Amino acid sequence: QQPVQSPQAVILREGEDAVINCSSSKALYSVHWYRQKHGEAPVFLMILLKGGEQKGHEKISASFNEKKQQSSLYLTASQLSYSGTYFCGTAGGSSNTGKLIFGQGTTLQVKP
Amino acid sequence: GAVVSQHPSRVICKSGTSVKIECRSLDFQATTMFWYRQFPKQSLMLMATSNEGSKATYEQGVEKDKFLINHASLTLSTLTVTSAHPEDSSFYICSARDFEGGTQYFGPGTRLLVL
């Protein structure tokens, strides 16, 4: 079942922060975050494998609450280059089969 | 990061013809590759899972006789769209899974237009 992302779209000014949420109705093994720019393929941001795990990548970080079956992506001090559509991909079950189901995406637009 | 290539990047074909798309992992071996289709402003829809040396596993609603997948080696998977029709026009993206870390790396995608 497809995970649900919120919000669907967000507009920011440079330097502002944003949070993108990803919720699943099924138990999760891992959550993967990607950013896709128009006309291009998705680019890997990070993978979270353990419940309660948090990871950071420059000014982009994420958390994974296994019990709540949720993950959140945090974008701090946003830059123009952060604009794009963010997708979470979830892998369910008790083992990592690799198969991902992607959310519907969250479009982020960062303005000067 | 790992590099995945896809060829061709863009193809235009006539209705009824077949089109082959190649997906290669350039600097790592991928026992598993995935094929996705993406329509404009929509999410990535998984079509099939391709495992080296075995038959592909197709998602519900995806015709296996129409979308032929071959995973001949640890670095190459191909998707052939047979008897293409205009409704098959889409952005096809492959990904290769890094077995050690579990990360999927996407190829640049192939934009297919069937006239």
Side-chain angles (χ1 to χ4, degrees):
Chain A
Q1 195 165 359
Q2 186 179 34
V4 176
Q5 286 183 235
S6 63
Q8 288 189 354
V10 59
I11 300 174
L12 298 174
R13 293 284 181 189
E14 261 187 303
E16 292 181 339
D17 301 340
V19 180
I20 300 172
N21 300 302
C22 175
S23 296
S24 173
S25 59
K26 291 188 172 182
L28 298 176
Y29 179 85
S30 63
V31 179
H32 306 228
W33 285 96
Y34 291 83
R35 176 173 59 214
Q36 184 179 30
K37 293 192 181 276
H38 181 68
E40 300 178 8
V43 172
F44 172 74
L45 294 177
M46 64 188 75
I47 177 175
L48 300 109
L49 292 173
K50 299 176 183 176
E53 184 180 21
Q54 292 200 10
K55 273 194 171 183
H57 178 70
E58 296 181 346
K59 294 179 182 176
I60 300 174
S61 61
S63 63
F64 176 22
N65 188 319
E66 191 177 346
K67 280 188 177 179
K68 290 187 177 180
Q69 298 164 187
Q70 292 177 347
S71 177
S72 295
L73 185 71
Y74 306 95
L75 302 141
T76 58
S78 59
Q79 305 168 13
L80 294 175
S81 61
Y82 287 3
S83 294
T85 301
Y86 289 79
F87 291 99
C88 67
T90 57
S94 58
S95 63
N96 186 9
T97 62
K99 176 177 164 179
L100 295 179
I101 305 299
F102 285 90
Q104 81 277 22
T106 296
T107 301
L108 175 70
Q109 185 179 3
V110 181
K111 292 186 173 181
Chain B
V3 179
V4 177
S5 71
Q6 222 175 304
H7 179 79
S9 59
R10 188 180 297 265
V11 58
I12 301 173
C13 69
K14 291 183 179 180
S15 187
T17 60
S18 295
V19 174
K20 180 186 278 190
I21 303 169
E22 290 188 351
C23 177
R24 292 180 186 273
S25 57
L26 298 185
D27 52 2
F28 67 102
Q29 292 185 331
T31 53
T32 305
M33 291 183 173
F34 302 88
W35 288 95
Y36 295 86
R37 180 166 53 182
Q38 186 178 38
F39 292 106
K41 297 188 178 181
Q42 293 189 22
S43 185
L44 299 146
M45 299 304 297
L46 179 65
M47 298 175 66
T49 302
S50 171
N51 293 299
E52 188 266 337
S54 64
K55 289 183 179 180
T57 304
Y58 291 83
E59 294 300 301
Q60 195 171 8
V62 177
E63 299 176 57
K64 61 180 181 181
D65 294 331
K66 181 170 183 60
F67 299 99
L68 301 178
I69 292 173
N70 184 273
H71 196 146
S73 74
L74 289 173
T75 59
L76 173 65
S77 176
T78 59
L79 168 70
T80 301
V81 183
T82 62
S83 187
H85 288 97
E87 57 265 30
D88 298 324
S89 299
S90 187
F91 190 44
Y92 291 85
I93 318 174
C94 71
S95 70
R97 183 184 177 217
D98 175 352
F99 186 76
E100 284 189 9
T103 300
Q104 281 190 40
Y105 297 97
F106 282 88
T110 296
R111 201 161 296 281
L112 171 65
L113 177 61
V114 185
L115 302 176

Short mmCIF file of all heavy atoms in Angstrom, two decimals, chain B residues 38-87:
data_model
loop_
_atom_site.label_atom_id
_atom_site.label_comp_id
_atom_site.label_asym_id
_atom_site.label_seq_id
_atom_site.Cartn_x
_atom_site.Cartn_y
_atom_site.Cartn_z
N GLN B 38 6.81 6.29 -14.72
CA GLN B 38 6.33 7.52 -14.11
C GLN B 38 5.62 8.37 -15.14
O GLN B 38 6.22 8.76 -16.15
CB GLN B 38 7.49 8.29 -13.48
CG GLN B 38 7.06 9.51 -12.69
CD GLN B 38 8.22 10.23 -12.04
OE1 GLN B 38 9.31 10.33 -12.62
NE2 GLN B 38 8.02 10.74 -10.83
N PHE B 39 4.34 8.66 -14.88
CA PHE B 39 3.59 9.57 -15.74
C PHE B 39 3.76 10.98 -15.19
O PHE B 39 4.10 11.16 -14.01
CB PHE B 39 2.12 9.15 -15.79
CG PHE B 39 1.92 7.84 -16.50
CD1 PHE B 39 1.64 6.68 -15.80
CD2 PHE B 39 2.04 7.75 -17.89
CE1 PHE B 39 1.47 5.46 -16.46
CE2 PHE B 39 1.88 6.55 -18.55
CZ PHE B 39 1.59 5.39 -17.83
N PRO B 40 3.53 12.00 -16.04
CA PRO B 40 3.76 13.39 -15.62
C PRO B 40 3.08 13.74 -14.31
O PRO B 40 1.90 13.44 -14.11
CB PRO B 40 3.20 14.20 -16.79
CG PRO B 40 3.34 13.29 -17.97
CD PRO B 40 3.09 11.91 -17.45
N LYS B 41 3.84 14.34 -13.43
CA LYS B 41 3.37 14.82 -12.13
C LYS B 41 2.81 13.71 -11.25
O LYS B 41 1.97 13.97 -10.38
CB LYS B 41 2.32 15.93 -12.32
CG LYS B 41 2.88 17.16 -13.02
CD LYS B 41 1.89 18.31 -13.02
CE LYS B 41 2.51 19.52 -13.69
NZ LYS B 41 1.59 20.68 -13.69
N GLN B 42 3.25 12.50 -11.48
CA GLN B 42 2.82 11.38 -10.65
C GLN B 42 4.01 10.70 -10.00
O GLN B 42 5.17 11.04 -10.26
CB GLN B 42 2.02 10.37 -11.48
CG GLN B 42 0.68 10.90 -11.97
CD GLN B 42 -0.16 9.82 -12.58
OE1 GLN B 42 0.01 8.63 -12.32
NE2 GLN B 42 -1.12 10.23 -13.41
N SER B 43 3.71 9.76 -9.14
CA SER B 43 4.76 9.07 -8.41
C SER B 43 5.40 7.98 -9.26
O SER B 43 4.98 7.72 -10.38
CB SER B 43 4.19 8.47 -7.13
OG SER B 43 5.21 7.91 -6.34
N LEU B 44 6.42 7.36 -8.70
CA LEU B 44 7.08 6.24 -9.35
C LEU B 44 6.28 4.97 -9.09
O LEU B 44 6.04 4.61 -7.94
CB LEU B 44 8.49 6.06 -8.77
CG LEU B 44 9.40 7.26 -8.95
CD1 LEU B 44 10.33 7.42 -7.78
CD2 LEU B 44 10.21 7.09 -10.23
N MET B 45 5.88 4.30 -10.16
CA MET B 45 5.10 3.07 -10.01
C MET B 45 5.99 1.89 -10.37
O MET B 45 6.48 1.77 -11.49
CB MET B 45 3.88 3.10 -10.91
CG MET B 45 2.92 4.24 -10.60
SD MET B 45 2.37 4.25 -8.88
CE MET B 45 1.50 2.69 -8.80
N LEU B 46 6.19 1.00 -9.40
CA LEU B 46 7.02 -0.17 -9.63
C LEU B 46 6.34 -1.10 -10.62
O LEU B 46 5.17 -1.45 -10.45
CB LEU B 46 7.27 -0.90 -8.30
CG LEU B 46 8.11 -2.16 -8.36
CD1 LEU B 46 9.53 -1.85 -8.81
CD2 LEU B 46 8.13 -2.86 -7.00
N MET B 47 7.09 -1.48 -11.66
CA MET B 47 6.55 -2.40 -12.65
C MET B 47 6.99 -3.84 -12.33
O MET B 47 6.18 -4.76 -12.37
CB MET B 47 7.05 -2.04 -14.04
CG MET B 47 6.63 -0.67 -14.52
SD MET B 47 7.38 -0.27 -16.10
CE MET B 47 6.60 -1.47 -17.16
N ALA B 48 8.27 -4.00 -12.06
CA ALA B 48 8.78 -5.35 -11.87
C ALA B 48 10.12 -5.32 -11.16
O ALA B 48 10.84 -4.32 -11.17
CB ALA B 48 8.93 -6.05 -13.21
N THR B 49 10.42 -6.46 -10.54
CA THR B 49 11.71 -6.68 -9.89
C THR B 49 12.48 -7.68 -10.73
O THR B 49 11.97 -8.75 -11.07
CB THR B 49 11.50 -7.24 -8.47
OG1 THR B 49 10.70 -6.32 -7.73
CG2 THR B 49 12.83 -7.45 -7.78
N SER B 50 13.72 -7.29 -11.06
CA SER B 50 14.54 -8.12 -11.93
C SER B 50 15.70 -8.71 -11.13
O SER B 50 16.49 -7.98 -10.56
CB SER B 50 15.07 -7.23 -13.06
OG SER B 50 16.04 -7.88 -13.83
N ASN B 51 15.76 -10.02 -11.07
CA ASN B 51 16.83 -10.70 -10.36
C ASN B 51 17.74 -11.41 -11.34
O ASN B 51 17.27 -12.10 -12.26
CB ASN B 51 16.27 -11.71 -9.36
CG ASN B 51 15.52 -11.03 -8.24
OD1 ASN B 51 16.08 -10.25 -7.48
ND2 ASN B 51 14.24 -11.32 -8.13
N GLU B 52 19.03 -11.27 -11.14
CA GLU B 52 20.01 -11.87 -12.02
C GLU B 52 19.85 -13.38 -12.04
O GLU B 52 19.80 -14.03 -11.00
CB GLU B 52 21.43 -11.48 -11.57
CG GLU B 52 22.53 -11.91 -12.52
CD GLU B 52 23.14 -13.24 -12.16
OE1 GLU B 52 23.04 -13.64 -10.99
OE2 GLU B 52 23.72 -13.88 -13.05
N GLY B 53 19.71 -13.91 -13.24
CA GLY B 53 19.64 -15.36 -13.41
C GLY B 53 18.29 -15.99 -13.15
O GLY B 53 18.16 -17.22 -13.19
N SER B 54 17.28 -15.19 -12.88
CA SER B 54 15.96 -15.77 -12.66
C SER B 54 14.88 -14.90 -13.31
O SER B 54 15.17 -13.80 -13.79
CB SER B 54 15.68 -15.93 -11.16
OG SER B 54 15.64 -14.67 -10.53
N LYS B 55 13.67 -15.40 -13.30
CA LYS B 55 12.58 -14.66 -13.93
C LYS B 55 12.22 -13.43 -13.11
O LYS B 55 12.31 -13.43 -11.89
CB LYS B 55 11.35 -15.56 -14.07
CG LYS B 55 11.49 -16.66 -15.11
CD LYS B 55 10.18 -17.45 -15.23
CE LYS B 55 10.32 -18.54 -16.29
NZ LYS B 55 9.05 -19.31 -16.44
N ALA B 56 11.78 -12.41 -13.83
CA ALA B 56 11.37 -11.19 -13.15
C ALA B 56 10.05 -11.39 -12.43
O ALA B 56 9.23 -12.23 -12.81
CB ALA B 56 11.25 -10.06 -14.17
N THR B 57 9.86 -10.61 -11.39
CA THR B 57 8.59 -10.62 -10.65
C THR B 57 7.83 -9.36 -11.00
O THR B 57 8.33 -8.25 -10.76
CB THR B 57 8.86 -10.66 -9.13
OG1 THR B 57 9.66 -11.79 -8.82
CG2 THR B 57 7.54 -10.74 -8.37
N TYR B 58 6.65 -9.51 -11.55
CA TYR B 58 5.87 -8.37 -12.01
C TYR B 58 4.84 -7.95 -10.97
O TYR B 58 4.27 -8.77 -10.26
CB TYR B 58 5.17 -8.71 -13.32
CG TYR B 58 6.11 -8.87 -14.49
CD1 TYR B 58 6.79 -10.08 -14.70
CD2 TYR B 58 6.35 -7.82 -15.37
CE1 TYR B 58 7.68 -10.22 -15.75
CE2 TYR B 58 7.22 -7.96 -16.43
CZ TYR B 58 7.89 -9.16 -16.62
OH TYR B 58 8.77 -9.30 -17.66
N GLU B 59 4.60 -6.64 -10.91
CA GLU B 59 3.57 -6.12 -10.03
C GLU B 59 2.19 -6.38 -10.64
O GLU B 59 2.05 -6.57 -11.85
CB GLU B 59 3.77 -4.63 -9.79
CG GLU B 59 5.03 -4.31 -9.03
CD GLU B 59 5.08 -4.95 -7.66
OE1 GLU B 59 4.17 -4.66 -6.85
OE2 GLU B 59 6.00 -5.75 -7.40
N GLN B 60 1.22 -6.36 -9.76
CA GLN B 60 -0.15 -6.61 -10.22
C GLN B 60 -0.55 -5.59 -11.27
O GLN B 60 -0.33 -4.39 -11.11
CB GLN B 60 -1.10 -6.51 -9.02
CG GLN B 60 -2.48 -7.08 -9.28
CD GLN B 60 -3.31 -7.16 -8.01
OE1 GLN B 60 -2.90 -6.65 -6.96
NE2 GLN B 60 -4.45 -7.79 -8.09
N GLY B 61 -1.14 -6.06 -12.36
CA GLY B 61 -1.60 -5.17 -13.41
C GLY B 61 -0.58 -4.92 -14.50
O GLY B 61 -0.91 -4.28 -15.51
N VAL B 62 0.64 -5.39 -14.33
CA VAL B 62 1.67 -5.20 -15.35
C VAL B 62 1.76 -6.48 -16.20
O VAL B 62 1.97 -7.56 -15.67
CB VAL B 62 3.04 -4.90 -14.71
CG1 VAL B 62 4.12 -4.77 -15.79
CG2 VAL B 62 2.97 -3.65 -13.86
N GLU B 63 1.58 -6.33 -17.51
CA GLU B 63 1.57 -7.48 -18.40
C GLU B 63 2.99 -7.97 -18.67
O GLU B 63 3.79 -7.28 -19.30
CB GLU B 63 0.91 -7.11 -19.72
CG GLU B 63 -0.54 -6.66 -19.61
CD GLU B 63 -1.05 -6.21 -20.97
OE1 GLU B 63 -1.01 -7.03 -21.91
OE2 GLU B 63 -1.48 -5.05 -21.10
N LYS B 64 3.29 -9.17 -18.24
CA LYS B 64 4.65 -9.68 -18.39
C LYS B 64 4.99 -9.98 -19.84
O LYS B 64 6.17 -9.96 -20.23
CB LYS B 64 4.87 -10.92 -17.53
CG LYS B 64 3.98 -12.09 -17.86
CD LYS B 64 4.29 -13.26 -16.94
CE LYS B 64 3.42 -14.46 -17.28
NZ LYS B 64 3.69 -15.61 -16.38
N ASP B 65 3.98 -10.28 -20.67
CA ASP B 65 4.26 -10.55 -22.07
C ASP B 65 4.46 -9.27 -22.87
O ASP B 65 4.99 -9.31 -23.98
CB ASP B 65 3.11 -11.36 -22.69
CG ASP B 65 3.01 -12.75 -22.09
OD1 ASP B 65 4.06 -13.27 -21.65
OD2 ASP B 65 1.90 -13.28 -22.01
N LYS B 66 4.05 -8.17 -22.31
CA LYS B 66 4.21 -6.89 -23.00
C LYS B 66 5.52 -6.22 -22.57
O LYS B 66 6.18 -5.58 -23.37
CB LYS B 66 3.04 -5.97 -22.68
CG LYS B 66 3.15 -4.63 -23.39
CD LYS B 66 1.88 -3.84 -23.27
CE LYS B 66 2.00 -2.55 -24.04
NZ LYS B 66 2.25 -2.77 -25.48
N PHE B 67 5.85 -6.36 -21.31
CA PHE B 67 7.07 -5.76 -20.79
C PHE B 67 8.04 -6.88 -20.41
O PHE B 67 8.00 -7.41 -19.31
CB PHE B 67 6.76 -4.88 -19.57
CG PHE B 67 5.84 -3.74 -19.87
CD1 PHE B 67 4.48 -3.82 -19.58
CD2 PHE B 67 6.32 -2.57 -20.44
CE1 PHE B 67 3.62 -2.77 -19.86
CE2 PHE B 67 5.47 -1.51 -20.73
CZ PHE B 67 4.12 -1.61 -20.44
N LEU B 68 8.89 -7.21 -21.38
CA LEU B 68 9.82 -8.33 -21.19
C LEU B 68 11.07 -7.84 -20.48
O LEU B 68 11.69 -6.87 -20.89
CB LEU B 68 10.19 -8.94 -22.55
CG LEU B 68 9.03 -9.48 -23.38
CD1 LEU B 68 9.55 -10.01 -24.71
CD2 LEU B 68 8.29 -10.57 -22.63
N ILE B 69 11.43 -8.54 -19.42
CA ILE B 69 12.61 -8.15 -18.65
C ILE B 69 13.62 -9.29 -18.64
O ILE B 69 13.27 -10.44 -18.40
CB ILE B 69 12.22 -7.78 -17.22
CG1 ILE B 69 11.40 -6.49 -17.22
CG2 ILE B 69 13.46 -7.63 -16.33
CD1 ILE B 69 10.81 -6.12 -15.90
N ASN B 70 14.87 -8.91 -18.91
CA ASN B 70 15.96 -9.88 -18.89
C ASN B 70 17.10 -9.32 -18.05
O ASN B 70 17.51 -8.19 -18.24
CB ASN B 70 16.45 -10.14 -20.33
CG ASN B 70 17.52 -11.21 -20.35
OD1 ASN B 70 18.71 -10.93 -20.20
ND2 ASN B 70 17.11 -12.44 -20.53
N HIS B 71 17.58 -10.13 -17.12
CA HIS B 71 18.68 -9.69 -16.24
C HIS B 71 19.83 -10.66 -16.48
O HIS B 71 20.03 -11.61 -15.72
CB HIS B 71 18.19 -9.72 -14.79
CG HIS B 71 19.07 -8.97 -13.85
ND1 HIS B 71 18.55 -8.30 -12.75
CD2 HIS B 71 20.39 -8.74 -13.82
CE1 HIS B 71 19.53 -7.72 -12.09
NE2 HIS B 71 20.66 -7.97 -12.72
N ALA B 72 20.57 -10.38 -17.55
CA ALA B 72 21.56 -11.35 -18.05
C ALA B 72 22.82 -11.43 -17.21
O ALA B 72 23.50 -12.46 -17.17
CB ALA B 72 21.91 -11.00 -19.49
N SER B 73 23.16 -10.34 -16.54
CA SER B 73 24.39 -10.33 -15.75
C SER B 73 24.20 -9.49 -14.52
O SER B 73 23.14 -8.88 -14.33
CB SER B 73 25.55 -9.79 -16.58
OG SER B 73 25.43 -8.38 -16.73
N LEU B 74 25.21 -9.44 -13.68
CA LEU B 74 25.11 -8.67 -12.43
C LEU B 74 25.15 -7.17 -12.65
O LEU B 74 25.01 -6.40 -11.70
CB LEU B 74 26.24 -9.08 -11.47
CG LEU B 74 26.10 -10.47 -10.87
CD1 LEU B 74 27.36 -10.83 -10.09
CD2 LEU B 74 24.89 -10.55 -9.95
N THR B 75 25.36 -6.75 -13.90
CA THR B 75 25.43 -5.32 -14.16
C THR B 75 24.47 -4.86 -15.25
O THR B 75 24.46 -3.68 -15.60
CB THR B 75 26.86 -4.90 -14.57
OG1 THR B 75 27.23 -5.64 -15.74
CG2 THR B 75 27.86 -5.17 -13.45
N LEU B 76 23.65 -5.75 -15.79
CA LEU B 76 22.80 -5.37 -16.91
C LEU B 76 21.40 -5.98 -16.80
O LEU B 76 21.24 -7.19 -16.62
CB LEU B 76 23.43 -5.81 -18.23
CG LEU B 76 22.57 -5.65 -19.49
CD1 LEU B 76 22.30 -4.17 -19.76
CD2 LEU B 76 23.27 -6.29 -20.69
N SER B 77 20.40 -5.13 -16.92
CA SER B 77 19.01 -5.57 -17.04
C SER B 77 18.41 -4.83 -18.23
O SER B 77 18.73 -3.66 -18.46
CB SER B 77 18.22 -5.26 -15.77
OG SER B 77 16.86 -5.61 -15.93
N THR B 78 17.55 -5.52 -18.99
CA THR B 78 16.89 -4.86 -20.11
C THR B 78 15.38 -4.99 -19.99
O THR B 78 14.86 -5.99 -19.49
CB THR B 78 17.33 -5.48 -21.46
OG1 THR B 78 17.00 -6.86 -21.48
CG2 THR B 78 18.83 -5.30 -21.67
N LEU B 79 14.71 -3.94 -20.43
CA LEU B 79 13.25 -3.92 -20.50
C LEU B 79 12.86 -3.73 -21.95
O LEU B 79 13.31 -2.77 -22.58
CB LEU B 79 12.69 -2.76 -19.66
CG LEU B 79 11.22 -2.43 -19.85
CD1 LEU B 79 10.34 -3.53 -19.28
CD2 LEU B 79 10.87 -1.09 -19.18
N THR B 80 12.07 -4.65 -22.49
CA THR B 80 11.59 -4.52 -23.87
C THR B 80 10.10 -4.29 -23.85
O THR B 80 9.35 -5.13 -23.31
CB THR B 80 11.93 -5.77 -24.69
OG1 THR B 80 13.35 -5.98 -24.69
CG2 THR B 80 11.46 -5.60 -26.13
N VAL B 81 9.69 -3.17 -24.40
CA VAL B 81 8.27 -2.87 -24.53
C VAL B 81 7.85 -3.41 -25.89
O VAL B 81 8.29 -2.91 -26.93
CB VAL B 81 8.00 -1.35 -24.45
CG1 VAL B 81 6.50 -1.07 -24.52
CG2 VAL B 81 8.60 -0.78 -23.17
N THR B 82 7.06 -4.46 -25.89
CA THR B 82 6.67 -5.09 -27.14
C THR B 82 5.36 -4.52 -27.67
O THR B 82 4.48 -4.14 -26.90
CB THR B 82 6.51 -6.61 -26.96
OG1 THR B 82 5.45 -6.85 -26.02
CG2 THR B 82 7.79 -7.24 -26.44
N SER B 83 5.27 -4.42 -29.00
CA SER B 83 4.07 -3.90 -29.65
C SER B 83 3.58 -2.64 -28.93
O SER B 83 2.46 -2.59 -28.41
CB SER B 83 2.98 -4.98 -29.66
OG SER B 83 1.86 -4.55 -30.43
N ALA B 84 4.44 -1.65 -28.90
CA ALA B 84 4.15 -0.43 -28.15
C ALA B 84 2.95 0.31 -28.72
O ALA B 84 2.73 0.34 -29.95
CB ALA B 84 5.37 0.46 -28.15
N HIS B 85 2.17 0.91 -27.84
CA HIS B 85 1.03 1.73 -28.21
C HIS B 85 1.17 3.10 -27.56
O HIS B 85 1.93 3.26 -26.59
CB HIS B 85 -0.27 1.05 -27.79
CG HIS B 85 -0.61 -0.14 -28.63
ND1 HIS B 85 -0.31 -1.43 -28.23
CD2 HIS B 85 -1.17 -0.26 -29.85
CE1 HIS B 85 -0.69 -2.28 -29.15
NE2 HIS B 85 -1.22 -1.60 -30.16
N PRO B 86 0.44 4.10 -28.05
CA PRO B 86 0.57 5.45 -27.49
C PRO B 86 0.39 5.50 -25.98
O PRO B 86 1.05 6.30 -25.31
CB PRO B 86 -0.54 6.22 -28.21
CG PRO B 86 -0.63 5.55 -29.54
CD PRO B 86 -0.41 4.08 -29.26
N GLU B 87 -0.44 4.65 -25.42
CA GLU B 87 -0.65 4.67 -23.96
C GLU B 87 0.56 4.17 -23.18
O GLU B 87 0.62 4.30 -21.95
CB GLU B 87 -1.89 3.86 -23.57
CG GLU B 87 -1.88 2.42 -24.01
CD GLU B 87 -2.60 2.20 -25.33
OE1 GLU B 87 -2.61 3.13 -26.16
OE2 GLU B 87 -3.13 1.09 -25.52
#
